[in-house]
Structure formats: structure tokens, C-alpha cells
Amino acid sequence: MAAAGLATELVNTSAGVWHGEDQLPDVAALAAFLAEHGVAGPAGADDLPAVHDVRDRLRSVLDERDADAIAAGAAALVARGIGTVGLETDERGRQQWCAQPRPDADLADRLALLAGVGVLGALRALGPERFRDCASDTCSGVFIDTSRPGRRRYCMPDLCGNRANVAAYRARQKASRGIS
Ligand SMILES: [Zn+2]
């Protein structure tokens, strides 16, 4: 589920979601994103275009609403970085599937693997109806709702949710003042 969250957050760094302002414009921003999500670096200038490309591909997967199409797109991302699949014991002593990258996988390949596995896991556990568009009128973001109740509406709840609330509040104020 953490990997599904990374997938959502990676696609929503794109310039399209931020009205032209890419949130991963340089290596420093990329390094900060990786650190925030516990992804091993380092990130170099060569990695940036490849990561942007993975982000675009991932976006087209999260734009799908059909389970087979999501699965196929995510499998293609996984294929970029996959080395081996096995079982590893987690901290609670339970065995979990573990996908390891190829030894020669670069950063973009590893991100593709991680995001792809996250998408597949969320699709299998929660279904395609958890793949949604942001409910904000002014946002073109998408997200995977991995919350337990499954009622998430915004790609960036703190930001888009507030933006929508502020817009609704202003609309009500205008209406109550009789200004159109
Ligand atoms: Zn949004």
C-alpha cells in the first residue's frame, strides 16, 4: 500500500497537475522525493528524464478505469525493473511477496518496479473502482484510494480538498451577498 501511495504521489508531481509547474524539476527535488518515500538513491542528472518518462507511463496507467488495462499497464512497469520474486519474512514473522530489482536496474527502472507492484497490489486488494480522478474542479490529478473506508476524493487531500472547500465557501459567500 505504501508503494501505491508512492505511485499516486509520483504522478501528481507532474507539471500538468500543478498548472505548469513540475514538482520534480531538478535532481535536488528528485532526491527529496526519494528520501521522503524511502527509495534508495543516489539520483543523478541522467535519471531525471527517465523518471519523468516513468511518471508519464504511470499516469496513463492510473488514468485507466478497467481492471485488465490497469493490470497490463502496471505489469509493463514492473517488467522494466524486475529481477527476482521471492518470499521474505517481515517484522511480524509473516512471509510476504518480495520483488527485487535487477542488479543493473537504474533509478527509473526501480521506481517503475515499485510503483507497478503498488498498483498491482492495490488493484488486487481493492479493485479498479479505487482508481479515481481528483474531485477538485481545478485539479487534473488522479489517485489510488488505499484508505480503509474508500471514500477519498482528492489526489492531495490537504491541498485539493482545501482548495475545493475554499471555492465552495467563496461561492456560498457570494450567493449569500447576492453577487453573481
Ligand atoms: Zn487534486
Side-chain angles (χ1 to χ4, degrees):
M1 287 307 156
L6 172 131
T8 291
E9 288 182 24
L10 181 59
V11 295
N12 291 326
T13 60
S14 76
V17 178
W18 287 85
H19 305 278
E21 252 184 77
D22 196 321
Q23 302 299 298
L24 293 179
D26 50 35
V27 174
L30 176 57
F33 180 88
L34 298 176
E36 197 181 318
H37 293 90
V39 179
D46 293 350
D47 292 315
L48 205 57
V51 168
H52 288 168
D53 176 58
V54 165
R55 181 174 66 181
D56 289 346
R57 288 166 196 269
L58 180 59
R59 170 68 197 230
S60 55
V61 176
L62 297 201
D63 279 337
E64 296 288 354
R65 296 293 172 261
D66 171 72
D68 291 338
I70 296 168
L77 287 171
V78 168
R80 269 183 79 135
I82 191 74
T84 60
V85 174
L87 293 174
E88 277 192 8
T89 307
D90 69 13
E91 62 276 9
R92 288 174 298 179
R94 286 194 250 174
Q95 289 194 309
Q96 302 284 0
W97 288 108
C98 183
Q100 292 288 353
R102 285 192 324 272
D104 64 337
D106 66 14
L107 176 61
D109 294 336
R110 286 190 288 117
L111 273 176
L113 171 62
L114 202 55
V117 165
V119 168
L120 290 176
L123 178 64
R124 179 173 176 276
L126 302 169
E129 55 283 351
R130 293 297 194 94
F131 290 68
R132 301 200 194 118
D133 297 320
C134 182
S136 165
D137 291 341
T138 58
C139 180
S140 61
V142 288
F143 64 95
I144 307 170
D145 182 359
T146 57
S147 70
R148 197 172 285 269
R151 287 194 290 264
R152 180 169 161 187
R153 300 181 61 220
Y154 302 104
C155 70
M156 291 168 275
D158 292 345
L159 204 65
C160 305
N162 285 336
R163 211 147 55 185
N165 290 340
V166 168
Y169 174 78
R170 288 206 183 118
R172 278 197 304 273
Q173 292 290 101
K174 269 188 182 176
S176 69
R177 289 200 303 265
I179 307 163
S180 61

